[in-house]
Amino acid sequence: MIHIIILNIFTENSIIFKYSELTFNMLLDMKRKDIDIPTCVHCKNSNGKGLLCCLPESDKQLLSENKCHRYYKKGEVIFLEGNHANGIFCLYKGKVKLVKLGKEGKEQIVRLSKEGDILGYRSLLSADVYQATAVALDDSYICHISKDIFLQTIKSNPTLSFEIIQLLSSDLKNAEQHLINFTQKTVKERISEAILLLASTFGYLIDGKTINIKMNRSEIAEMASTTTESAIRTLSALQEEGMISLNGKYIVIHNMKELIRSTHVND
Amino acid sequence: MIHIIILNIFTENSIIFKYSELTFNMLLDMKRKDIDIPTCVHCKNSNGKGLLCCLPESDKQLLSENKCHRYYKKGEVIFLEGNHANGIFCLYKGKVKLVKLGKEGKEQIVRLSKEGDILGYRSLLSADVYQATAVALDDSYICHISKDIFLQTIKSNPTLSFEIIQLLSSDLKNAEQHLINFTQKTVKERISEAILLLASTFGYLIDGKTINIKMNRSEIAEMASTTTESAIRTLSALQEEGMISLNGKYIVIHNMKELIRSTHVND
DNA sequence: TCAATATTATGATATGTATCATGTTTTTAA
DNA sequence: TTAAAAACATGATACATATCATAATATTGA
């Protein structure tokens, strides 16, 4: 029996174990977990387009000195809907989904995040609880900046406020467009939209057509707000029409033009 | 024949007519249109809780000097989805709906606005086109503040930025909650939600139970994202269950507790 | 005031999609 | 490697709600 006790999820992991019982896989895991995370000053993640990129070096330095980071295994929860926000998360590496719990435990994916994205800022800014649960879609490295430091940085940087406004505006726009999509489109149109969203968010593998994310059918169903069975049927149908092909948990796009058309058949 | 040519909807109405052909109704109309709009300094509309209330008097004065206002008859369009934003609208008096055009011309009400609310700020802030069309639900008086003046005011008032962030955050939260509602709830649950939203937005008449808005069945359908026929049937059902009664275009709430319960039957 | 038009109402039918059932394949863990 | 569990797949059926049709009211404008 191996005992792993995580003492505090927001500071560095503190793990108690017996060395003698470490397996090869655990050692591999630790090696993977042990990567170098640069300071905010040197972080090249969002190519100057990220939320915090507008900050002067001194502020980035301040954030770096006060941030902490953690490794999240695929499937691990980063924060829970209903919990109080006490900082923002910055996704250094990995992929994250934001899910909201609906009725009868049915989940709905409301947003996707990739490297360089900021999570949990909305709840923090409106001093609210998290409105969704963040789950790692892939092994991820995520930095955490405390509430105090972040709010202090906003106060001293009007440009940051403006960046936040831009980000919120764009999220709001997407959310409202989403609403129309989900209420007025068929399952097929919604599944097609979900595939396009995955592609535009996570990009492709080196072949240039396989979407760079492994998602199971029930997760795609959660994106398109339908049942797993309907998602399976619809994906098969799209495959038979030659628009996509299904390679295990990967989706390959073959006919982007037709796929885009199939998102708005009767507009 | 009476010729009315509106030269510019953003400045004061410039109307060309022949005096001899003025009808009694037109004169009445002009009288109604001719109301006193206070300066932003003296505007008591949002009781200190509005977006612009945090501003110092000097800024409010500046806004006032540069604002213009216009009367919108019920049903008139204030701005159109797809048009470029060149200022913000502040609803002095009246009621407004924001509708988005879906497929096959089907409309969807995405937000409601009442006295003191600001409209069109999202598009302005992200230098975007309007994502929805604003239509007066009632005879309304709306002030318009130009882009330049508004952006200038933001720059010199960090508090205003923070207020805008709060507003956007809350809109985003609502939009994402809406998503869950519309995709996972039944027509009956959505219609009940729509009624509650109308009540919480526009309040009641003096009897304390008649919702202070006249809405036809197709507009309620647009709120709940269903068809007019289904809206009619569902409203009748709610009436038969004694939760509401229908008084022409007015809705009277009789059993608020049950109505709230009917918005989340299977949560 | 009255005709024209829009809105409300209600019944019959069609249809997309959820649900249930069952079997196959893939993944996971000992 | 193998058993157990999870994910994928597909068919049959049920059901909510859209669509179509038709009529009764209510509203509007000359």
Side-chain angles (χ1 to χ4, degrees):
Chain A
M1 183 68 76
I2 299 167
H3 300 273
I4 301 186
I5 302 164
I6 298 181
L7 293 180
N8 189 332
I9 66 156
F10 287 131
T11 64
E12 291 294 320
N13 303 0
S14 309
I15 302 177
I16 300 167
F17 49 73
K18 302 184 198 163
Y19 279 95
S20 58
E21 288 174 358
L22 274 177
T23 63
F24 174 74
N25 278 333
M26 280 187 74
L27 285 166
L28 196 77
D29 220 50
M30 288 182 71
K31 186 163 159 47
R32 274 193 303 160
K33 283 160 132 180
D34 185 30
I35 65 162
D36 265 338
I37 306 244
T39 67
C40 298
V41 180
H42 300 100
C43 185
K44 293 275 165 287
N45 240 333
S46 30
N47 273 315
K49 293 188 304 264
L51 184 67
L52 304 173
C53 293
C54 66
L55 292 174
E57 252 191 47
S58 59
D59 278 295
K60 286 185 184 169
Q61 196 59 47
L62 181 74
L63 291 178
S64 279
E65 283 159 13
N66 289 280
K67 80 176 180 186
C68 57
H69 65 268
R70 179 156 116 68
Y71 164 83
Y72 293 86
K73 204 176 162 63
K74 180 177 175 170
E76 248 188 290
V77 169
I78 297 139
F79 55 78
L80 276 168
E81 184 172 350
N83 278 10
H84 199 78
N86 67 342
I88 58 161
F89 294 89
C90 187
L91 184 47
Y92 173 66
K93 202 165 170 14
K95 301 177 179 73
V96 169
K97 66 175 175 182
L98 273 145
V99 300
K100 251 176 110 64
L101 222 67
K103 67 185 197 183
E104 288 161 57
K106 201 172 165 185
E107 291 185 343
Q108 161 89 44
I109 296 182
V110 290
R111 244 183 293 170
L112 297 169
S113 296
K114 57 175 189 302
E115 288 164 18
D117 286 346
I118 307 277
L119 292 162
Y121 65 98
R122 198 211 58 77
S123 304
L124 187 74
L125 291 167
S126 50
D128 206 349
V129 295
Y130 293 121
Q131 295 299 312
T133 297
V135 181
L137 279 175
D138 217 341
D139 292 2
S140 302
Y141 297 86
I142 303 175
C143 297
H144 183 261
I145 296 164
S146 78
K147 183 177 173 168
D148 294 343
I149 298 289
F150 185 61
L151 292 180
Q152 180 188 323
T153 310
I154 293 178
K155 282 220 174 66
S156 53
N157 288 280
T159 329
L160 183 56
S161 296
F162 205 72
E163 289 290 323
I164 291 170
I165 287 173
Q166 303 287 313
L167 191 57
L168 281 166
S169 295
S170 126
D171 282 350
L172 182 58
K173 176 180 166 177
N174 289 335
E176 289 189 340
Q177 187 55 55
H178 235 77
L179 201 72
I180 297 284
N181 290 346
F182 280 11
T183 53
Q184 299 197 4
K185 295 195 174 184
T186 63
V187 166
K188 189 175 176 186
E189 290 166 335
R190 267 142 50 199
I191 291 280
S192 300
E193 292 241 3
I195 294 171
L196 291 174
L197 181 61
L198 286 173
S200 68
T201 307
F202 300 122
Y204 303 92
L205 300 182
I206 15 96
D207 67 355
K209 53 184 187 170
T210 303
I211 301 173
N212 180 26
I213 180 94
K214 278 166 100 169
M215 274 224 156
N216 61 30
R217 307 294 187 261
S218 70
E219 281 175 317
I220 291 170
E222 282 167 22
M223 285 184 73
S225 166
T226 180
T227 58
T228 307
E229 294 96 320
S230 290
I232 288 169
R233 277 182 246 265
T234 311
L235 286 170
S236 302
L238 288 173
Q239 179 167 235
E240 257 165 48
E241 291 171 41
M243 294 192 213
I244 61 168
S245 68
L246 302 163
N247 185 359
K249 294 215 188 325
Y250 283 109
I251 297 173
V252 188
I253 297 184
H254 289 298
N255 193 336
M256 176 63 97
K257 216 172 144 186
E258 264 306 303
L259 193 60
I260 291 170
R261 180 142 55 204
S262 72
T263 63
H264 49 102
V265 178
N266 297 307
D267 270 359
Chain B
M1 184 66 76
I2 298 166
H3 301 272
I4 301 185
I5 301 165
I6 298 180
L7 293 180
N8 190 332
I9 65 156
F10 287 130
T11 62
E12 289 295 321
N13 304 1
S14 308
I15 302 177
I16 300 168
F17 48 72
K18 302 186 199 162
Y19 278 95
S20 55
E21 288 174 358
L22 275 175
T23 63
F24 175 73
N25 278 333
M26 281 185 75
L27 284 166
L28 197 75
D29 221 48
M30 289 182 71
K31 188 164 160 48
R32 272 192 304 161
K33 283 160 136 180
D34 186 31
I35 65 161
D36 265 336
I37 306 245
T39 68
C40 298
V41 181
H42 300 100
C43 185
K44 294 275 166 286
N45 240 333
S46 29
N47 272 316
K49 292 188 305 267
L51 184 67
L52 304 173
C53 293
C54 65
L55 293 174
E57 252 192 46
S58 59
D59 278 295
K60 285 185 185 168
Q61 196 58 48
L62 181 75
L63 291 178
S64 278
E65 283 158 12
N66 289 279
K67 81 175 181 187
C68 57
H69 64 267
R70 178 155 119 66
Y71 163 82
Y72 293 85
K73 202 176 162 64
K74 179 177 176 172
E76 248 188 289
V77 169
I78 297 139
F79 55 77
L80 276 167
E81 185 172 351
N83 279 9
H84 199 78
N86 68 341
I88 59 162
F89 294 89
C90 186
L91 185 46
Y92 174 66
K93 200 163 170 21
K95 301 177 179 74
V96 169
K97 65 175 176 183
L98 273 145
V99 301
K100 251 175 110 62
L101 221 68
K103 67 185 196 183
E104 289 161 56
K106 203 173 164 184
E107 291 184 341
Q108 161 88 44
I109 295 180
V110 290
R111 243 182 294 168
L112 297 169
S113 296
K114 58 174 189 301
E115 287 164 19
D117 286 346
I118 307 279
L119 292 163
Y121 64 98
R122 199 212 57 78
S123 304
L124 188 73
L125 291 167
S126 49
D128 207 349
V129 295
Y130 292 120
Q131 295 298 312
T133 298
V135 181
L137 279 173
D138 217 341
D139 292 1
S140 302
Y141 297 85
I142 303 176
C143 296
H144 182 261
I145 295 163
S146 78
K147 182 177 174 169
D148 294 343
I149 298 289
F150 185 61
L151 291 180
Q152 180 187 324
T153 310
I154 293 178
K155 282 218 174 68
S156 55
N157 287 281
T159 330
L160 183 55
S161 295
F162 204 72
E163 289 289 324
I164 291 170
I165 288 172
Q166 303 286 313
L167 190 58
L168 281 167
S169 295
S170 124
D171 282 351
L172 181 58
K173 177 180 167 179
N174 289 336
E176 289 188 342
Q177 188 54 54
H178 234 77
L179 202 71
I180 297 285
N181 289 347
F182 281 11
T183 53
Q184 299 195 5
K185 296 196 172 180
T186 63
V187 166
K188 190 176 175 184
E189 289 166 336
R190 269 143 48 201
I191 291 280
S192 301
E193 292 241 4
I195 294 170
L196 290 174
L197 180 60
L198 286 173
S200 68
T201 307
F202 299 122
Y204 302 92
L205 300 182
I206 15 96
D207 67 355
K209 52 183 190 170
T210 303
I211 302 174
N212 179 26
I213 180 95
K214 278 166 101 169
M215 274 223 157
N216 62 30
R217 307 296 186 260
S218 70
E219 282 176 317
I220 291 169
E222 283 167 22
M223 286 185 73
S225 167
T226 181
T227 57
T228 307
E229 293 96 321
S230 291
I232 288 169
R233 275 183 246 265
T234 311
L235 286 169
S236 301
L238 288 173
Q239 179 168 234
E240 255 165 50
E241 291 169 40
M243 295 193 211
I244 61 167
S245 67
L246 302 164
N247 185 358
K249 294 214 186 332
Y250 283 108
I251 296 172
V252 188
I253 297 184
H254 289 298
N255 191 337
M256 176 63 94
K257 215 172 148 186
E258 265 304 304
L259 194 60
I260 290 170
R261 180 142 56 204
S262 72
T263 64
H264 50 102
V265 177
N266 297 306
D267 270 359

